[in-house]
Amino acid sequence: MGCTANADSVDKCSLPSANGKKASLSSTSVLALTTGDPRVFEPFWKKMGDKCKVVIDGCDLMSYFSDVGNVCWFLEPELGDAIRRLHRVVGNAVTDDRHIVVGTGSTQLFQAALYALTTPSGAGVDVEPFSVVSSAPYYSSYPEVVDCLRSGLYKWEGDACTFNKDGAYIEVVNSPNNPDGTLRETVVKRGQGKLIYDLAYYWPQYTAITSPAHHDIMLFTFSKCTGHAGSRIGWAFVKDKDIAKKMTQYITITSIGVSKESQFRAAKIMEVICDGCSQNVGSENFFEYAREVMSKRWQKLREALQDSECLSLFKYPRERCLFTGELNERLPAFAWLECKEGIKDCEEFLRGFDIVGRGGKAFGADPKFTRVSLLCRDEDFNGVIERLLTIKGIKNGN
């Protein structure tokens, strides 16, 4: 039977908590979980103390240039080495025979890849815009980023599963997928197509590393790997040198490179992560810590929604992980919640309990779905669990 709960009838000042005790949440306290701001990993980095400390003197890092002999001339050699080492330790990407292009987050690299793949090789060449597609539910920022500049080179055409337009296209493959955590492969598979693989969440805390990714363009981001979103560092592995040059050209035009201070810090943090993994010290193994945190959150979430008549969750398979050597369950950064029969708009329904997620429409999906971030701080996550437990107890409005 469907759920017809009325959130206004619930006393939000006395929500039950996971341990059965009465929670003390203000009825005006709104939990905004629309973004993937990765505060969840802060306790680990606090515990690391000075190990990630970097010192930059006033005379350091003053030039625009980092390595003029490299395709990406603003990539600091230390960061390039750290990126390759990190992927060797984790085993999630092939790095040999590929160029690294660094960007101000993976969003800039996505834009750079679109530019590189669609820019005509000859001056004055008049071409039809490339269609850009991704299978739904797709990352909600793809349409915004693609159409932001209203470029004549490319335009957003929506769901790859329903795409049937002739001509050149770019398919964006996001795996594990944001918002639903599923593993993705190409869908369109026909001539004149180009591919961009967005692998932001292909790290051991979110999913089993089943094989090293080996695609022509692969995007990664520091924010989802380590939690350091504020550093604004992303990187791409690019097989084709000319494409790497064009991506570098785009970043040169738009920002004249990438902050050296951020690169320097990112390299140091990656070094600490790799050392912690290599020394096999549990308390200093970041991925072991992060996976345990995500596992506990998913366990609490599933318990809170068990037997709920209003909301349901995806169930993910266990897979053999090359990094851990174990059968690991997928632990996505977001909960892709689905409302059951009787509730048509999941985002609106959760807002009634002061949980603000991002509705399914933004992802090209049915509004009965909503994405809720699990990367928030403990106090916000615990608040969500408390409110979901209240929703769980509602049956047909009672």
Side-chain angles (χ1 to χ4, degrees), residues 57-323:
D57 291 332
C59 60
D60 292 339
L61 312 177
M62 293 182 66
S63 174
Y64 285 119
F65 302 95
S66 297
D67 184 0
V68 293
N70 193 4
V71 169
C72 184
W73 53 266
F74 44 81
L75 170 64
E76 287 291 302
E78 293 84 358
L79 179 59
D81 292 342
I83 288 171
R84 292 187 190 277
R85 182 189 176 196
L86 179 62
H87 285 283
R88 285 197 302 269
V89 168
V90 175
N92 61 342
V94 173
T95 65
D96 295 336
D97 301 319
R98 281 165 172 80
H99 304 278
I100 297 177
V101 180
V102 66
T104 304
S106 60
T107 298
Q108 187 184 36
L109 290 165
F110 177 48
Q111 293 171 313
L114 292 174
Y115 170 83
L117 292 173
T118 60
T119 301
S121 48
V125 177
D126 188 18
V127 295
E128 285 291 315
F130 276 65
S131 298
V132 182
V133 297
S134 187
S135 53
Y138 42 72
Y139 177 37
S140 57
S141 288
Y142 288 155
E144 297 173 350
V145 172
V146 171
D147 289 339
C148 175
L149 300 179
R150 304 193 181 191
S151 171
L153 298 174
Y154 50 82
K155 63 179 181 179
W156 178 251
E157 291 288 354
D159 187 1
C161 297
T162 58
F163 176 68
N164 59 6
K165 188 176 179 180
D166 293 332
Y169 71 91
I170 296 172
E171 183 176 353
V172 189
V173 182
N174 185 201
S175 185
N177 188 47
N178 174 2
D180 64 2
T182 58
L183 299 184
R184 294 292 184 87
E185 293 293 341
T186 55
V187 171
V188 182
K189 297 180 181 178
R190 64 171 189 248
Q192 293 185 285
K194 300 178 186 292
L195 302 173
I196 299 173
Y197 279 80
D198 183 350
L199 305 178
Y201 299 93
Y202 194 44
W203 296 101
Q205 65 265 47
Y206 306 117
T207 188
I209 305 302
T210 56
S211 64
H214 55 93
H215 309 290
D216 289 354
I217 300 177
M218 300 182 287
L219 308 183
F220 291 90
T221 174
F222 195 46
S223 64
K224 299 309 183 289
C225 172
T226 71
H228 293 87
S231 293
R232 308 307 307 128
I233 290 291
W235 61 93
F237 289 113
V238 185
K239 195 168 186 179
D240 186 281
K241 186 175 183 178
D242 289 336
I243 296 297
K245 284 182 175 179
K246 286 183 178 180
M247 290 178 67
T248 300
Q249 180 187 33
Y250 177 89
I251 295 171
T252 302
I253 293 169
T254 55
S255 60
I256 320 180
V258 175
S259 166
K260 290 188 177 185
E261 286 83 357
S262 289
Q263 292 189 60
F264 192 35
R265 183 186 188 216
K268 180 62 177 179
I269 291 170
M270 290 180 190
E271 177 188 313
V272 170
I273 289 178
C274 292
D275 288 346
C277 293
S278 301
Q279 294 167 7
N280 201 26
V281 179
S283 62
E284 295 189 3
N285 187 321
F286 169 73
F287 292 118
E288 185 177 301
Y289 166 88
R291 182 161 187 85
E292 183 178 355
V293 170
M294 294 304 296
S295 179
K296 288 179 179 178
R297 290 198 170 191
W298 270 96
Q299 182 180 354
K300 288 182 179 180
L301 182 63
R302 291 198 183 281
E303 289 173 354
L305 293 179
Q306 188 176 8
D307 301 324
S308 172
E309 291 196 11
C310 299
L311 297 165
S312 64
L313 277 172
F314 270 46
K315 189 167 181 63
Y316 302 98
R318 289 181 176 272
E319 297 161 299
R320 177 70 60 180
C321 179
L322 298 177
F323 178 75

Side-chain angles (χ1 to χ4, degrees), residues 1 21 47 81-82 106 123 134 136 213 255 336 350 361:
M1 187 175 291
K21 295 181 180 179
K47 183 178 65 176
D81 292 342
S106 60
S134 187
S255 60
W336 186 234
L350 289 175
K361 281 187 177 181

